[in-house]
Amino acid sequence: MAFDASSQASDEVLLVLYGNGDRAAAHVLALRFTPLALRVAARMLGDRAEAEDVAQEAMLRLWRVAPEWRQGEARVSTWLYRVVANLCTDRLRKRRGVGLDEIAEPEDGAPGVVERMIETDRAAALQSALDTLPERQRQAVVLRHLEGLTNPEIAAVMDIGVEAVESLTARGKRALAALLTGRREELGYGHG
Amino acid sequence: MVMADRKFAPQDLDVLFAQACSEVPDLPPGLLARVLADADAELAARSRAAPAPRPVLRLGIMAELLALLGGWRAVSGLATATVAGVWIGFSGLSGLPDAATALFGMAATETLASVNLLPGDDVFALAMGLEAVE
């Protein structure tokens, strides 16, 4: 059976087809899920090269689990979020986070350039602040506010209760706000 | 006052999150190629690891037949009965009265046709005797 990137086949169907030897199904799955894995890993690790390694490893595990995939037990995306989060946690435990002090200071320039740099700086500031959060808080914040998962979905990924998810995201947001306080003007928010 | 103004508000965080969500990182072609190469390698490894076709079909049918007939015990019983049937068929019925005598203590003159299968007078008398005692 041939698929294209916009195939309407469900993730599970594609995974089962790949498990039965369908290469085309693997192509669609790779296009659907590699960006997800890369995005989450990059947010969790703050390092693009390492995130690529994690994304590749997570996808490899998806290929390996395909023949034994039990339909209806879990969503493919939830399973992959969990694998990526675990791989990132392993790597984070081997190294320390990067402090806010290491964020590059914006340079002077023309207004358009300054705005672009502010945007870049905001992204860098957010990433650096995320990097300093405890792993579980970071994971919950990334999944909730950057991946848009619901609290029950995050609970499934992290294997904890919904209340624990709410607590982690709330504490994570408070910590982020505290970390970014004092950089408000610098990041272009002004006095408003 | 100044500190309150500088505090990072929840709405400021929401702006940061929204901006971060809109920045979708490009999928590096090299990464996609590696992921697809892994997928192909897994398929190839699986096909190599798959056992060669075994001559299980005949054994499978035999096993199914055996199970259908009730297992080894039932089949050996059937085999014994078959051999006995063949033996009787070849040797005829002349040997049977002797066998019946040996097994059930019947007289040599009795045949299967003369055996009384209904309760006889002795049983009836025994039943009547029991009623009398009660």
Side-chain angles (χ1 to χ4, degrees):
Chain A
M1 186 184 291
F3 300 99
D4 56 25
S6 59
S7 169
Q8 296 300 308
S10 75
D11 302 335
E12 277 205 317
V13 166
L14 289 168
L15 194 57
V16 170
L17 284 170
Y18 170 72
N20 290 331
D22 193 324
R23 291 181 71 234
H27 194 83
V28 181
L29 285 170
L31 287 172
R32 279 188 193 175
F33 287 111
T34 311
L36 177 154
L38 178 65
R39 204 169 56 230
V40 176
R43 291 291 178 202
M44 290 285 292
L45 298 170
D47 182 295
R48 184 63 181 238
E50 242 187 320
E52 285 193 24
D53 289 345
V54 165
Q56 188 181 350
E57 173 65 24
M59 291 304 292
L60 179 59
R61 293 189 183 192
L62 184 65
W63 306 140
R64 285 181 178 160
V65 82
E68 288 91 35
W69 186 265
R70 283 180 287 192
Q71 291 189 64
E73 281 200 4
R75 292 173 62 184
V76 177
S77 59
T78 304
W79 182 92
L80 194 65
Y81 273 124
R82 183 183 291 207
V83 170
V84 171
N86 289 340
L87 290 171
C88 289
T89 301
D90 290 344
R91 287 176 179 249
L92 287 169
R93 284 178 183 164
K94 293 175 184 170
R95 63 174 165 94
R96 297 172 68 87
V98 180
L100 274 179
D101 294 339
E102 294 178 34
I103 299 170
E105 293 295 324
E107 298 168 12
D108 292 334
V113 175
V114 170
E115 273 190 17
R116 252 198 334 271
M117 291 184 79
I118 284 176
E119 279 191 9
T120 307
D121 200 43
R122 282 181 179 181
L126 177 62
Q127 187 60 58
S128 293
L130 279 171
D131 288 346
T132 61
L133 291 184
E135 290 157 20
R136 303 288 277 174
Q137 282 184 28
R138 188 186 321 175
Q139 194 176 330
V141 168
V142 167
L143 293 176
R144 179 74 186 90
H145 295 288
L146 298 176
E147 288 297 311
L149 267 64
T150 63
N151 286 344
E153 285 172 330
I154 299 168
V157 170
M158 297 181 69
D159 206 16
I160 54 176
V162 173
E163 286 183 4
V165 172
E166 289 168 356
S167 170
L168 283 171
T169 49
R171 279 187 287 149
K173 280 185 77 175
R174 276 201 302 274
L176 283 179
L179 285 162
L180 294 167
T181 293
R183 300 199 69 200
R184 203 166 171 276
E185 287 180 46
E186 182 191 329
L187 294 172
Y189 288 96
H191 290 284
Chain B
M1 174 74 176
V2 172
M3 285 305 291
D5 282 344
R6 285 183 177 180
K7 191 168 182 181
F8 219 81
Q11 57 266 33
D12 296 333
L13 265 183
D14 291 339
V15 170
L16 270 187
F17 287 142
Q19 186 183 325
C21 286
S22 67
E23 292 167 357
V24 181
D26 296 330
L27 182 60
L31 175 61
L32 184 60
R34 291 198 298 278
V35 166
L36 289 173
D38 285 345
D40 286 346
E42 275 302 307
L43 279 184
R46 242 183 281 150
S47 64
R48 278 198 304 272
R54 293 168 295 170
V56 293
L57 192 58
R58 187 171 295 278
L59 289 174
I61 290 172
M62 286 300 291
E64 277 184 24
L65 195 62
L66 200 66
L68 200 66
L69 293 172
W72 278 112
R73 286 184 180 181
V75 170
S76 57
L78 277 175
T80 307
T82 304
V83 170
V86 170
W87 177 70
I88 290 169
F90 273 104
S91 63
L93 289 172
S94 59
L96 275 181
D98 292 335
T101 304
L103 287 172
F104 306 114
M106 288 188 292
T109 52
E110 285 179 324
T111 64
L112 284 176
S114 67
V115 174
N116 190 358
L117 298 175
L118 292 172
D121 293 341
D122 48 347
V123 177
F124 182 72
L126 179 63
M128 293 301 290
L130 285 175
E131 275 186 11
V133 171
E134 287 172 359

